[in-house]
């Protein structure tokens, strides 16, 4: 929804979910209560104390569970928190009904400020990437590094496979879709979702698929599920229409933090061609291409994404302790390219770095 849409436009009550989200082995959940906002936060206690803080932001229709695999991979390097955005996961809708990108970014900023953990290593996937860009642009003091997995930035010619998702932003479409698919059970809905977001859905383990079906059933029972989805989709599309200093590409230019861009060549929602423009826009970026990944690389190939993040963290940490890196940064910006030669990973992702 537009940031100017009045709160009274909300059509559902902010009631708590009937069933809580799943807590994986080694994870914990806590609730952050702020004026007008309650966030469920997924935590994976680090393997050692004193690790730098990180915040991971999920995408449209997702939840903090989307980061569980990557959180496990990086437990020896980061102290990670992954909030459920307002209206998603186990977080109730915001009191003001603001699902715009600015509204979601404000929620993330308030969470970081309230926790006193900033600056953090910030990561975002899809719409969460858009939110993370906005946070890094307007509050550079809160962001130590930025990792963007298939960030949802404006495209002049979106892929045809991405059009149905964009249509969710049109008022009434989610109601029509829910009616048209009312005979679909949670298993079919989950299969359709995996076919859209994964490079190879057949690689999903049977037990993981069963957990995904269980989570989909839980979400469908929420009275605000479709409302939060539609309004957040509208907020994302609205952000594409902003011009001047508020446009998302201009916001990307303002990001000061070293940035890792992760793109999957089988992504059906964010075209891989956007990787080149993004790499040229962020002032200090490096690119990780996963040849077999789809839209959620951190779920499909967490080990490969973790390796890329470790390299980014080494770079960011070196700067903080005073390692002379002015020439290093300049070289990255002057010689930045997308290399097409695959570098096979131990996880079979086939990564290409640029």
């Amino acid at each position: 929804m537009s940031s100017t849409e009045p709160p009274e436009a909300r059509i559902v009550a902010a009631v708590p979910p009937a069933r809580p989200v799943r807590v994986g082995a080694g994870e914990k959940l806590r609730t952050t209560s702020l004026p007008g906002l309650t966030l469920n936060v997924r935590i994976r206690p680090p393997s050692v104390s004193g690790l730098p803080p990180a915040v991971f932001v999920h995408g449209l229709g997702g939840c903090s569970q989307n980061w569980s695999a990557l959180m496990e991979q990086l437990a020896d390097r980061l102290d990670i928190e992954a909030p459920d955005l307002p209206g998603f996961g186990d977080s109730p809708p915001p009191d003001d009904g603001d699902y715009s990108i600015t509204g979601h970014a404000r929620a993330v900023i308030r969470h970081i400020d309230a926790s006193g953990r900033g600056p953090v290593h910030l990561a975002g996937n899809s719409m969460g990437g858009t939110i993370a860009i906005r946070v890094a642009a307007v509050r550079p003091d809160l962001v130590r590094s930025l990792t963007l997995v298939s960030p949802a930035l404006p495209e002049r010619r979106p892929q045809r496979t991405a059009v149905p998702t964009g249509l969710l932003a049109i008022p009434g479409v989610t109601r029509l879709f829910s009616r048209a698919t009312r005979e679909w059970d949670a298993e079919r809905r989950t299969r359709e979702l995996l076919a859209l977001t994964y490079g190879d859905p057949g690689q999903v383990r049977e037990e993981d698929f069963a957990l995904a079906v269980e989570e989909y059933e839980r979400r469908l029972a929420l009275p605000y599920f479709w409302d939060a989805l539609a309004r957040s989709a509208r907020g994302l599309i609205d952000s594409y229409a902003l011009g001047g200093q508020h446009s998302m590409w201009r916001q990307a230019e303002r990001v000061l933090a070293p940035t890792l861009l992760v793109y999957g060549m089988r992504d059906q929602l964010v075209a891989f061609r956007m990787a080149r423009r993004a790499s040229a826009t962020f002032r200090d970026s490096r690119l990780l291409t996963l040849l077999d990944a789809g839209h959620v690389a951190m779920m499909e190939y967490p080990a490969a994404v973790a390796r890329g993040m470790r390299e980014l963290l080494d770079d960011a940490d070196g700067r903080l302790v005073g390692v002379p890196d002015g020439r290093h940064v300049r070289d990255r910006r002057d010689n930045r390219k997308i290399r097409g030669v695959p570098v096979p990973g131990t996880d079979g992702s086939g990564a290409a770095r640029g």
Side-chain angles (χ1 to χ4, degrees), residues 3-61:
S3 59
T4 60
E5 187 171 336
E8 54 268 29
R10 296 173 65 215
I11 60 175
V12 296
V15 297
R19 285 189 294 165
V21 296
R22 176 178 175 272
V23 183
E27 296 181 339
K28 295 181 179 180
L29 298 180
R30 70 175 176 83
T31 300
T32 297
S33 296
L34 301 168
L37 183 69
T38 300
L39 295 178
N40 176 69
V41 182
R42 185 174 302 270
I43 302 168
R44 186 169 193 97
S47 56
V48 296
S49 61
L51 294 181
V55 172
F56 292 176
V57 187
H58 66 78
L60 180 67

Side-chain angles (χ1 to χ4, degrees), residues 129-130 132-138 146 148 151 153-154 244-257 259 261 277-285:
T130 311
I133 292 169
R134 180 65 57 85
V135 173
V138 302
L146 184 64
L148 303 173
L153 287 163
Q245 294 297 321
H246 298 290
S247 75
M248 289 311 306
W249 285 110
R250 293 294 292 274
Q251 296 273 293
E253 291 175 348
R254 292 173 56 186
V255 172
L256 300 176
T259 302
L261 300 165
R277 181 176 181 183
S279 185
T281 299
F282 287 90
R283 63 178 67 194
D284 179 15
S285 70

Side-chain angles (χ1 to χ4, degrees), residues 300-335:
E300 290 189 89
Y301 299 108
V305 176
R307 285 198 300 272
M309 286 193 68
R310 288 176 186 275
E311 293 177 6
L312 176 71
L313 296 174
D314 288 341
D315 190 3
D317 289 346
R319 298 178 191 203
L320 287 177
V321 297
V323 174
D325 63 347
R327 182 174 58 83
H328 174 67
V329 174
R330 184 168 60 253
D331 288 346
R332 279 191 182 277
R333 295 185 62 186
D334 292 345
N335 299 319

